[in-house]
Amino acid sequence: MSDDALNNISVGEIVNCTVEQLMPYGAFVKILPSGRKGMIHISELSYNFVKNISDVISVQDKVKAKIVKIDEKGRIDLSIKQAIERPAPAPRPQPKKILQNQNQNQNASDEVDSFEKKMAAFMKTSEAKITDLNARNSARSGHGRRSNGNNNNNNYSRDRNNNNIDRDN
């Protein structure tokens, strides 16, 4: 093979390649017709996520790839992804309706009335719950304070075990 054929590749060129070796991080290829070696990184194999290279490409596969970089040591980085046109994104699935109305032909005012009724019922139950909670909290906070059965008013400080420690006076 002549030196012209070996050196006649440039960045941006789309070339035919043969896959020679698969590694966890990419595929080593032989660029045709020059015979030079290059590497296609795993992230440059497909527009989709690639977990396992062998799911996308196999040894001896013929692929078209774009030369994206030739470094100062002469190593060639290629990309299959950049050699093909990006596929159109798949259409997003429409969200499922959680609640479906029995009558699908309701007009907008019926829907607003339905919302207003639901909101009024929610507010009513919320206010009842808040009132009940406030009543329980006020009963605990001292309006009906319970004693511990010891009504004599001595001035002793007590520790956790209810032992007299010292006198305040």
Side-chain angles (χ1 to χ4, degrees):
M1 190 159 296
S2 71
D3 286 339
D4 280 347
L6 290 175
N7 295 325
N8 199 16
I9 58 172
S10 60
V11 174
E13 187 178 346
I14 294 179
V15 293
N16 291 314
C17 307
T18 301
V19 178
E20 292 192 331
Q21 184 181 11
L22 298 179
M23 300 298 285
Y25 51 85
F28 288 95
V29 296
K30 182 179 192 178
I31 301 169
L32 303 173
S34 70
R36 291 188 64 185
K37 309 265 185 200
M39 189 193 81
I40 304 172
H41 189 267
I42 189 170
S43 65
E44 295 295 328
L45 290 173
S46 172
Y47 282 104
N48 297 322
F49 175 74
V50 177
K51 184 174 184 175
N52 188 354
I53 289 184
S54 60
D55 293 341
V56 178
I57 200 168
S58 301
V59 175
Q60 297 301 316
D61 281 356
K62 305 273 190 228
V63 296
K64 285 188 184 257
K66 181 177 181 179
I67 298 173
V68 292
K69 178 180 161 187
I70 301 174
D71 70 7
E72 63 279 349
K73 294 181 180 178
R75 295 181 294 199
I76 303 169
D77 291 342
L78 298 110
S79 171
I80 294 174
K81 188 164 72 169
Q82 293 181 31
I84 60 173
E85 191 173 315
R86 185 179 190 114
R92 290 185 175 185
Q94 295 297 320
K96 294 179 181 178
K97 291 184 179 179
I98 295 173
L99 298 174
Q100 292 183 343
N101 294 331
Q102 300 239 341
N103 183 2
Q104 293 183 358
N105 294 330
Q106 288 182 332
N107 60 24
S109 65
D110 288 344
E111 290 176 10
V112 170
D113 288 343
S114 175
F115 172 76
E116 293 295 330
K117 288 177 185 175
K118 288 179 184 177
M119 186 59 129
F122 170 77
M123 293 299 291
K124 186 176 180 180
T125 57
S126 293
E127 288 173 5
K129 288 178 182 178
I130 290 172
T131 302
D132 183 48
L133 183 62
N134 287 339
R136 282 192 225 163
N137 285 341
S138 66
R140 287 185 194 162
S141 67
H143 294 297
R145 189 171 211 151
R146 297 182 211 152
S147 67
N148 62 0
N150 189 0
N151 288 335
N152 58 353
N153 237 353
N154 61 15
N155 292 329
Y156 288 105
S157 296
R158 297 185 182 271
D159 66 3
R160 283 187 161 170
N161 298 323
N162 225 13
N163 298 321
N164 293 338
I165 296 176
D166 65 341
R167 193 170 176 94
D168 290 341
N169 292 348

